[in-house]
Amino acid sequence: MPKNFIEEITWRGMLHDAMPGTEAHLLEKMRAAYVGFDPTADSLHIGNLVPIMLLSHYQRCGHKPVALVGGATGMIGDPSGKSSERNLLDEATLRHNQEAIKNQLARFLDFESNTDNAAALVNNYDWMKNFSFLEFIRDVGKHITVNYMMAKDSVKNRLSGESVDGMSFTEFTYQLVQGYDFLHLYQNNSCSIQMGGSDQWGNITTGTELIRRIGGGKGYAITCPLITKSDGSKFGKSEGGNVWLDKNRTSPYKFYQYWLNSSDEDAEKYIKIFTFLEQQTIESLIVTHREAPHLRVLQKRLAGEITLIVHSKEDLDNAIAASSILFGKSTADDLKKLDEATFLDVFDGVPQHEIALAELSELGIIAALSEKTGFLKSNGEARRALKENSISVNREKVSDSFILSEKDLINNQFILLQRGKKNYFILRCN
């Protein structure tokens, strides 16, 4: 008997809406449900995490998750929540992106199991590529009226004057293509449920309508809320843009920091949605956090759990170590353990000055602080700061007699100069 999936996602704050009868349908036996993912990049981002977690909880409750990569729909573009059309991709790029996305989903879903509820990955391009336009409008299009399609919010918003460019016929047909996906999976994969963000309700219900009219069956819809931040800014965005699941796009350090910087209010919400911790554990963490919010217990646990799932234990340990560099009692050895990308992430925005490696030999600290770099305004200011014992090289205090050398280099190229607790400067040697 499957666990109660609706109950699980309800206490986690992950249920926005469900079609009547869905819960009873799921409690009868194992069911297959799918979520669609946009393959226009070779990585998912944290905006995709809620539907990914939905699928993962679905599998943990004993049901079969199906991840659909929208190779065909990715060539069209979903108008939901968009104000303009997307760039269209060729098949080779879509196939590459599909494989990359599957590798990321495998961190959350078990594709390899021999059980009936092993996860499956499908691509709608595989069944749409040989479907002619005439066949599609004859076999699918005639079952859905233009009135029905025009009533969808995703269409109305684009035609109401909010968008200067309106909507192309290609995008207008998107809901029919997505609706047909649901019908195809219903008929060929025994998939009776589609899940997605609340903005997908219209597209999903077009699918249930096709299942009723063409398949003579019953399809169900489950949507999750669109995540917002308490300060009104967009979830999943940092100053550098999307927060990606690919470490080459967003480093594990920056990924960890994104969650660590959550507000108290958001952290209480996120830890239910983005971790697999049990309800009792989460409630206990929230109580502990509220008693001493300055310790940021909730944020640390949240950041740790999700970084471990998306990346690895090693990446998490490195992210925690890197996070302590700015705020903890780190040493030169700690700094030298950072790889180049993480070092630059930690000290993002810190002023830099380049010198030739040959110049480093026998470079005195006073010259390194002032005339060679401009970190401090003058030799006099450098001497005063040294006398005050406020100058560090690679987090270790130095005197005015200190001479820099190649042994001070981090990753064979950086030296971190510091005045006081918060004024940093990077000397880069090449």
Side-chain angles (χ1 to χ4, degrees), residues 39 71 74-75 87-97 125:
M75 291 182 169
N87 294 326
L88 309 184
L89 303 179
D90 58 61
E91 185 177 356
T93 303
L94 286 166
R95 292 295 182 191
H96 164 76
N97 293 353
Y125 184 73

Side-chain angles (χ1 to χ4, degrees), residues 78-82 146-163 166-168 171-176 199 202-203 206:
D78 178 5
S80 304
K82 309 286 194 311
V146 171
N147 291 14
Y148 180 88
M149 295 172 71
M150 293 283 285
K152 303 293 185 182
D153 287 341
S154 60
V155 174
K156 284 197 293 188
N157 292 342
R158 284 287 293 276
L159 298 178
S160 66
E162 292 178 21
S163 168
M167 173 189 267
S168 70
E171 280 195 306
F172 182 61
T173 60
Y174 181 90
Q175 62 172 288
L176 278 182
D199 61 340
N203 291 332
T206 297

